[in-house]
Amino acid sequence: MSGAGEDWLSDGLGDVAGADFGLWVSGVDYIAGWREARESADQLNRAFLGAGFELSELRAVASTNGEGRGVVRVAGWPGAVNRLAGLLEALADGDGGAL
């Protein structure tokens, strides 16, 4: 992964684990879920980079829920999230994402 250097997971956004981050339950395979989520988060981060975002302003983060299922969260600064929303709205409107 590239973008904001080797520290791309901690650049600018601080703690992106969220309030759900907590204790692990014995016997739940969190690693398998996290690996699946990590692959998806990496793919989404590459798409963010390709669309001109910096990973210090917007990124996908792999996590798991309490049952060990993979979860991908998007964390970002409000301005970057607004730009992403604009791109998605433009795609939904059918104009190909032009802003």
Side-chain angles (χ1 to χ4, degrees):
M1 191 70 352
S2 63
E6 291 182 23
D7 295 329
W8 68 271
L9 276 177
S10 61
D11 283 350
L13 294 177
D15 178 23
V16 293
D20 297 341
F21 189 74
L23 299 175
W24 288 8
V25 176
S26 178
V28 176
D29 183 7
Y30 294 98
I31 301 300
W34 180 84
R35 283 183 181 145
E36 181 182 16
R38 178 62 188 251
E39 289 177 15
S40 296
D42 286 349
Q43 182 178 2
L44 187 53
N45 283 325
R46 287 190 297 274
F48 287 158
L49 289 169
F53 291 97
E54 293 291 329
L55 295 180
S56 61
E57 63 180 342
L58 181 71
R59 84 171 115 271
V61 180
S63 184
T64 58
N65 65 9
E67 292 81 38
R69 187 173 190 162
V71 175
V72 176
R73 292 180 169 85
V74 174
W77 295 110
V81 173
N82 288 339
R83 284 182 29 226
L84 176 61
L87 287 170
L88 294 173
E89 288 170 349
L91 287 172
D93 289 342
D95 67 3
L99 293 177

